[in-house]
Amino acid sequence: MFELEREELVERLIRWGYLNKPEVVKAFRKVPRHEFVPDNIRDYSYADQPLSIGHGQTISAPSMIAIMMESLDLAPGQKVLEIGAGSGYNAALAAEIVGEKGRVITIERIAELAKSAEANLRKTGYGWVQVVVGDGTCGYEKEVLWDRILVTACAPTLPKPLIAQLKIGGKLGAPVGQHYMNQTWLVAEKRDEKNLKIQECGGCSFVPLVGKHGWKSED
Ligand code: SAM
Protein backbone atom coordinates (compact mmCIF):
# COMPACT_ATOMS: atom_id res chain seq x y z
CA MET A 1 0.00 0.00 0.00
CA PHE A 2 1.16 3.56 -0.79
CA GLU A 3 4.41 2.25 -2.38
CA LEU A 4 4.15 4.68 -5.29
CA GLU A 5 3.37 7.67 -3.02
CA ARG A 6 6.30 6.76 -0.78
CA GLU A 7 8.71 6.48 -3.71
CA GLU A 8 7.48 9.81 -5.14
CA LEU A 9 8.05 11.47 -1.76
CA VAL A 10 11.58 10.06 -1.55
CA GLU A 11 12.36 11.22 -5.11
CA ARG A 12 11.08 14.74 -4.25
CA LEU A 13 13.12 14.92 -1.04
CA ILE A 14 16.23 13.88 -2.97
CA ARG A 15 15.52 16.47 -5.70
CA TRP A 16 14.94 19.22 -3.14
CA GLY A 17 18.23 18.33 -1.40
CA TYR A 18 16.77 17.10 1.90
CA LEU A 19 17.80 13.48 1.42
CA ASN A 20 21.40 12.68 0.51
CA LYS A 21 22.83 9.92 2.67
CA PRO A 22 22.19 6.43 1.22
CA GLU A 23 21.31 4.90 4.61
CA VAL A 24 18.71 7.62 5.31
CA VAL A 25 17.25 7.34 1.78
CA LYS A 26 16.99 3.56 2.27
CA ALA A 27 15.19 3.99 5.60
CA PHE A 28 12.71 6.49 4.08
CA ARG A 29 12.03 3.98 1.26
CA LYS A 30 11.51 1.13 3.71
CA VAL A 31 9.51 2.52 6.65
CA PRO A 32 5.77 2.81 5.85
CA ARG A 33 4.91 6.30 7.15
CA HIS A 34 1.16 5.68 6.64
CA GLU A 35 1.24 3.03 9.39
CA PHE A 36 2.22 5.77 11.87
CA VAL A 37 -0.52 8.22 10.87
CA PRO A 38 -4.11 8.15 12.23
CA ASP A 39 -6.59 6.32 9.90
CA ASN A 40 -8.68 9.40 9.04
CA ILE A 41 -5.70 11.32 7.56
CA ARG A 42 -3.75 8.40 6.13
CA ASP A 43 -4.14 9.77 2.57
CA TYR A 44 -1.88 12.70 3.56
CA SER A 45 0.90 10.46 4.88
CA TYR A 46 3.22 11.15 1.95
CA ALA A 47 2.55 14.87 1.60
CA ASP A 48 5.40 17.04 2.87
CA GLN A 49 3.54 18.41 5.86
CA PRO A 50 3.29 17.77 9.61
CA LEU A 51 0.18 15.82 10.65
CA SER A 52 -1.80 15.70 13.87
CA ILE A 53 -1.42 12.50 15.91
CA GLY A 54 -3.79 13.59 18.71
CA HIS A 55 -3.21 15.07 22.19
CA GLY A 56 -2.10 18.33 20.53
CA GLN A 57 1.01 16.60 19.09
CA THR A 58 2.30 16.07 15.55
CA ILE A 59 4.39 13.83 13.36
CA SER A 60 6.83 16.24 11.69
CA ALA A 61 6.91 16.92 7.93
CA PRO A 62 9.08 14.43 6.01
CA SER A 63 11.53 17.17 4.89
CA MET A 64 12.10 18.17 8.55
CA ILE A 65 12.57 14.54 9.53
CA ALA A 66 15.08 14.16 6.69
CA ILE A 67 17.08 17.14 8.05
CA MET A 68 17.01 15.60 11.54
CA MET A 69 18.02 12.11 10.48
CA GLU A 70 20.77 13.28 8.09
CA SER A 71 22.26 15.65 10.67
CA LEU A 72 22.92 12.87 13.17
CA ASP A 73 25.17 10.56 11.08
CA LEU A 74 23.41 7.43 12.27
CA ALA A 75 25.19 4.13 11.59
CA PRO A 76 24.63 0.41 12.21
CA GLY A 77 25.21 -0.76 15.77
CA GLN A 78 24.73 2.62 17.46
CA LYS A 79 22.78 3.17 20.68
CA VAL A 80 20.14 5.82 20.04
CA LEU A 81 17.87 7.57 22.51
CA GLU A 82 14.91 9.55 21.16
CA ILE A 83 12.99 12.04 23.29
CA GLY A 84 9.38 12.40 22.05
CA ALA A 85 8.18 9.09 20.57
CA GLY A 86 4.96 10.62 19.20
CA SER A 87 3.82 8.19 16.48
CA GLY A 88 7.01 6.09 16.62
CA TYR A 89 7.95 6.97 13.00
CA ASN A 90 11.34 8.62 13.76
CA ALA A 91 12.24 5.73 16.04
CA ALA A 92 11.44 3.28 13.21
CA LEU A 93 13.71 5.20 10.81
CA ALA A 94 16.51 5.20 13.40
CA ALA A 95 15.94 1.48 14.03
CA GLU A 96 16.11 0.74 10.31
CA ILE A 97 19.53 2.43 10.15
CA VAL A 98 21.15 1.15 13.36
CA GLY A 99 19.69 -2.36 12.97
CA GLU A 100 19.02 -4.96 15.65
CA LYS A 101 22.70 -5.00 16.67
CA GLY A 102 22.11 -1.41 17.77
CA ARG A 103 19.65 -0.19 20.38
CA VAL A 104 16.80 2.30 20.10
CA ILE A 105 14.85 3.59 23.08
CA THR A 106 12.24 6.29 22.68
CA ILE A 107 10.68 8.21 25.58
CA GLU A 108 7.21 9.76 25.46
CA ARG A 109 5.53 11.78 28.24
CA ILE A 110 1.93 11.12 27.06
CA ALA A 111 1.08 7.51 27.96
CA GLU A 112 -1.62 7.09 25.26
CA LEU A 113 0.82 8.20 22.54
CA ALA A 114 3.50 5.86 23.90
CA LYS A 115 0.99 3.01 23.64
CA SER A 116 0.15 3.75 20.01
CA ALA A 117 3.82 4.32 19.12
CA GLU A 118 4.57 0.88 20.55
CA ALA A 119 1.72 -0.68 18.52
CA ASN A 120 2.86 1.11 15.33
CA LEU A 121 6.44 -0.08 15.84
CA ARG A 122 5.31 -3.66 16.49
CA LYS A 123 3.08 -3.90 13.41
CA THR A 124 5.83 -2.55 11.12
CA GLY A 125 8.50 -4.97 12.35
CA TYR A 126 10.33 -2.70 14.79
CA GLY A 127 8.93 -4.27 17.95
CA TRP A 128 12.47 -4.47 19.36
CA VAL A 129 12.48 -0.68 19.82
CA GLN A 130 11.72 0.09 23.48
CA VAL A 131 9.10 2.74 24.23
CA VAL A 132 9.30 4.27 27.71
CA VAL A 133 6.73 6.58 29.33
CA GLY A 134 8.34 9.45 31.19
CA ASP A 135 10.09 12.80 31.13
CA GLY A 136 12.76 12.49 28.46
CA THR A 137 14.45 15.74 29.51
CA CYS A 138 16.10 13.65 32.26
CA GLY A 139 17.38 11.16 29.66
CA TYR A 140 17.53 7.45 30.39
CA GLU A 141 20.14 6.72 33.04
CA LYS A 142 19.60 2.95 33.02
CA GLU A 143 21.34 2.50 29.67
CA VAL A 144 23.94 5.28 29.45
CA LEU A 145 26.02 6.19 27.50
CA TRP A 146 24.38 7.04 24.14
CA ASP A 147 25.97 7.38 20.69
CA ARG A 148 23.13 9.57 19.49
CA ILE A 149 20.29 11.45 21.18
CA LEU A 150 17.46 12.80 19.05
CA VAL A 151 15.07 15.31 20.63
CA THR A 152 11.85 15.88 18.67
CA ALA A 153 10.26 18.65 20.75
CA CYS A 154 11.65 22.14 21.32
CA ALA A 155 13.59 22.98 24.49
CA PRO A 156 14.56 26.46 25.72
CA THR A 157 18.19 25.20 25.94
CA LEU A 158 19.91 21.85 25.42
CA PRO A 159 18.91 19.75 28.46
CA LYS A 160 22.01 19.19 30.62
CA PRO A 161 21.25 15.54 31.55
CA LEU A 162 21.15 14.64 27.85
CA ILE A 163 24.60 16.12 27.29
CA ALA A 164 25.89 14.24 30.34
CA GLN A 165 24.48 10.94 29.01
CA LEU A 166 26.18 11.30 25.60
CA LYS A 167 29.38 9.37 24.79
CA ILE A 168 32.51 11.38 23.97
CA GLY A 169 32.23 11.78 20.19
CA GLY A 170 28.45 11.30 20.42
CA LYS A 171 25.92 13.66 18.85
CA LEU A 172 22.76 15.24 20.19
CA GLY A 173 20.25 16.74 17.73
CA ALA A 174 17.53 19.01 19.09
CA PRO A 175 15.35 21.99 18.23
CA VAL A 176 16.11 24.87 20.59
CA GLY A 177 14.21 28.14 20.85
CA GLN A 178 10.89 29.64 21.88
CA HIS A 179 7.33 28.27 21.90
CA TYR A 180 6.58 27.43 18.24
CA MET A 181 8.88 30.21 16.90
CA ASN A 182 12.51 31.31 16.51
CA GLN A 183 13.64 27.72 16.75
CA THR A 184 16.89 26.30 15.35
CA TRP A 185 17.81 22.67 14.74
CA LEU A 186 21.11 22.20 16.62
CA VAL A 187 23.57 19.35 16.49
CA ALA A 188 25.91 19.22 19.46
CA GLU A 189 28.94 16.94 19.24
CA LYS A 190 30.52 16.06 22.57
CA ARG A 191 34.24 16.75 22.12
CA ASP A 192 35.15 15.93 25.74
CA GLU A 193 33.51 16.25 29.18
CA LYS A 194 33.58 20.05 28.97
CA ASN A 195 33.35 20.93 25.29
CA LEU A 196 30.57 20.74 22.74
CA LYS A 197 30.90 21.62 19.07
CA ILE A 198 27.55 23.11 18.13
CA GLN A 199 26.33 23.30 14.56
CA GLU A 200 23.19 25.25 13.55
CA CYS A 201 21.23 23.44 10.84
CA GLY A 202 18.47 25.94 10.05
CA GLY A 203 15.10 27.08 11.35
CA CYS A 204 12.29 24.75 12.41
CA SER A 205 9.01 24.64 14.30
CA PHE A 206 8.34 21.97 16.94
CA VAL A 207 5.91 21.43 19.79
CA PRO A 208 7.38 22.27 23.23
CA LEU A 209 9.56 19.85 25.17
CA VAL A 210 7.73 19.76 28.49
CA GLY A 211 9.60 18.56 31.56
CA LYS A 212 12.07 19.18 34.36
CA HIS A 213 14.79 20.38 31.95
CA GLY A 214 12.41 21.81 29.33
CA TRP A 215 9.30 23.98 29.50
CA LYS A 216 6.89 23.91 32.45
CA SER A 217 3.65 22.01 31.84
CA GLU A 218 0.58 24.22 31.34
CA ASP A 219 -1.79 21.34 32.31
N1 SAM B 1 9.15 11.75 16.94
C1 SAM B 1 7.73 11.79 16.76
C2 SAM B 1 7.24 10.95 15.62
O1 SAM B 1 8.07 10.27 14.98
O2 SAM B 1 6.04 10.95 15.39
C3 SAM B 1 7.16 13.17 16.68
C4 SAM B 1 7.31 13.85 17.96
S1 SAM B 1 6.27 15.20 18.30
C5 SAM B 1 6.87 16.44 17.22
C6 SAM B 1 6.98 15.61 19.90
C7 SAM B 1 6.64 14.61 20.99
O3 SAM B 1 7.42 14.95 22.13
C8 SAM B 1 5.19 14.65 21.43
O4 SAM B 1 4.61 13.39 21.30
C9 SAM B 1 5.28 15.10 22.90
O5 SAM B 1 4.29 14.52 23.72
C10 SAM B 1 6.66 14.61 23.26
N2 SAM B 1 7.27 15.25 24.44
C11 SAM B 1 7.26 16.56 24.81
N3 SAM B 1 7.98 16.72 25.95
C12 SAM B 1 8.47 15.50 26.28
C13 SAM B 1 9.29 15.01 27.35
N4 SAM B 1 9.77 15.79 28.31
N5 SAM B 1 9.59 13.68 27.37
C14 SAM B 1 9.14 12.84 26.41
N6 SAM B 1 8.34 13.25 25.40
C15 SAM B 1 8.02 14.55 25.32
Side-chain angles (χ1 to χ4, degrees), residues 12-206:
R12 249 181 291 143
L13 294 176
I14 292 172
R15 220 170 35 247
W16 293 342
Y18 290 108
L19 280 181
N20 297 290
K21 295 186 174 153
E23 64 280 10
V24 185
V25 174
K26 193 164 159 243
F28 265 74
R29 283 208 162 103
K30 179 93 188 284
V31 179
R33 182 172 159 94
H34 62 276
E35 297 285 7
F36 294 84
V37 164
D39 283 350
N40 60 330
I41 50 170
R42 204 157 259 194
D43 285 349
Y44 302 97
S45 304
Y46 296 98
D48 189 30
Q49 62 184 76
L51 296 171
S52 169
I53 53 171
H55 304 275
Q57 306 302 322
T58 54
I59 172 173
S60 303
S63 54
M64 186 65 231
I65 297 175
I67 292 172
M68 294 152 70
M69 302 308 289
E70 293 241 337
S71 72
L72 276 182
D73 294 320
L74 294 164
Q78 286 175 342
K79 274 180 68 176
V80 180
L81 177 67
E82 182 193 31
I83 314 303
S87 68
Y89 178 66
N90 278 357
L93 289 171
E96 182 56 37
I97 298 172
V98 306
E100 287 197 51
K101 289 199 175 136
R103 181 92 170 110
V104 179
I105 295 187
T106 181
I107 308 182
E108 173 55 56
R109 68 182 280 269
I110 301 173
E112 292 89 337
L113 283 180
K115 211 170 150 197
S116 60
E118 202 168 43
N120 294 340
L121 286 159
R122 208 176 314 118
K123 76 179 170 195
T124 50
Y126 302 99
W128 56 273
V129 172
Q130 194 181 333
V131 183
V132 173
V133 179
D135 176 6
T137 67
C138 299
Y140 196 66
E141 278 282 358
K142 277 190 215 160
E143 293 207 23
V144 292
L145 300 162
W146 300 96
D147 293 297
R148 297 290 183 264
I149 301 180
L150 170 64
V151 185
T152 66
C154 184
T157 54
L158 292 174
K160 286 208 173 80
L162 300 186
I163 296 166
Q165 293 179 22
L166 204 55
K167 281 185 188 164
I168 303 294
K171 288 185 177 176
L172 161 67
V176 171
Q178 298 168 10
H179 264 40
Y180 299 98
M181 50 192 237
N182 296 332
Q183 300 180 4
T184 306
W185 181 258
L186 297 184
V187 177
E189 185 180 345
K190 190 164 174 178
R191 286 283 178 84
D192 55 44
E193 285 306 338
K194 291 205 172 112
N195 292 296
L196 289 178
K197 180 187 159 202
I198 296 185
Q199 196 188 344
E200 294 190 4
C201 305
C204 52
S205 178
F206 281 81

